[in-house]
Amino acid sequence: QQPVQSPQAVILREGEDAVINCSSSKALYSVHWYRQKHGEAPVFLMILLKGGEQKGHEKISASFNEKKQQSSLYLTASQLSYSGTYFCGTENMIKAAGNKLTFGGGTRVLVKP
Amino acid sequence: DVKVTQSSRYLVKRTGEKVFLECVQDMDHENMFWYRQDPGLGLRLIYFSYDVKMKEKGDIPEGYSVSREKKERFSLILESASTNQTSMYLCASSLAPPYEQYFGPGTRLTVT
């Protein structure tokens, strides 16, 4: 079952903040975050492992609450370059061989000047 | 830089045709993946491979098969293409877990 991302879309002005949530019904080992710009391939942003780690990439950071089986991505002081679709990918605690990820439906982010 | 290439950016096939989508990575990654991307549904895993000649079904394997004869190459096969397989297909590769996946540019397949 796919993790659920919310919101589905968000429009920001440059400099504003936003939070994207990713919730799973299964116990998670890790959460990956990717960004896909229009017409391009998804690009890796960060991985969070169980243990509540917080990671950062530029002014984009994320947290992972393994008890709640959810992760949040924080876009701080957004820039025009942050526009795109953000996907979370979750890896279950009970893992198959290889790091199989299950991706959410994506959150479209548009940052306006 | 890791490079993942896919054989075609755009492909148009007729219903019932056999379709091959090829993916090549140049970084000696163990894992390779095939996804399809449809609006609102995100990326759904079709098949993945964690070693040469090894394959595992993903979440939506029906109507597809795969082949991995060499470490750098992973092929997706549509035995008899149908219109509901019209989609964007993305290939990805990664080192052993829990490392990031690197995606190819995608193949937009239209089945008429």
Side-chain angles (χ1 to χ4, degrees), chain A residues 1-2 29-30 32 34 36 39-44 47 49 87 91 95-106, chain B residues 9 31 33 35 37 40-45 48 50 56-59 90 94-101 103-105:
Chain A
Q1 194 168 0
Q2 289 183 277
Y29 175 74
S30 70
H32 297 216
Y34 291 79
Q36 184 179 31
E40 298 180 10
V43 173
F44 168 78
I47 293 174
L49 302 177
F87 294 99
E91 185 179 13
K95 294 181 286 182
N99 61 325
K100 172 190 166 183
L101 295 179
T102 304
F103 284 92
Chain B
R9 288 302 301 268
N31 299 330
F33 309 85
Y35 296 92
Q37 183 173 21
L41 297 177
L43 303 163
R44 292 181 293 166
L45 182 65
F48 69 104
Y50 53 91
E56 291 281 341
K57 290 181 180 179
D59 300 313
L90 289 164
S94 76
L95 288 169
Y99 295 109
E100 63 267 33
Q101 295 187 15
F103 285 84

Side-chain angles (χ1 to χ4, degrees), chain B residues 18-79:
Chain B
K18 191 168 185 175
V19 181
F20 292 87
L21 302 181
E22 299 222 312
C23 174
V24 177
Q25 51 95 1
D26 67 357
M27 284 301 291
D28 204 35
H29 284 172
E30 289 88 352
N31 299 330
M32 295 189 75
F33 309 85
W34 275 107
Y35 296 92
R36 63 176 283 176
Q37 183 173 21
D38 300 288
L41 297 177
L43 303 163
R44 292 181 293 166
L45 182 65
I46 304 171
Y47 268 96
F48 69 104
S49 167
Y50 53 91
D51 202 351
V52 175
K53 296 192 190 281
M54 306 301 289
K55 60 187 179 186
E56 291 281 341
K57 290 181 180 179
D59 300 313
I60 51 165
E62 297 79 18
Y64 304 94
S65 62
V66 290
S67 171
R68 192 168 181 200
E69 296 295 320
K70 293 185 178 182
K71 192 174 186 180
E72 67 271 16
R73 189 179 297 267
F74 193 34
S75 301
L76 180 70
I77 303 154
L78 288 67
E79 293 289 340

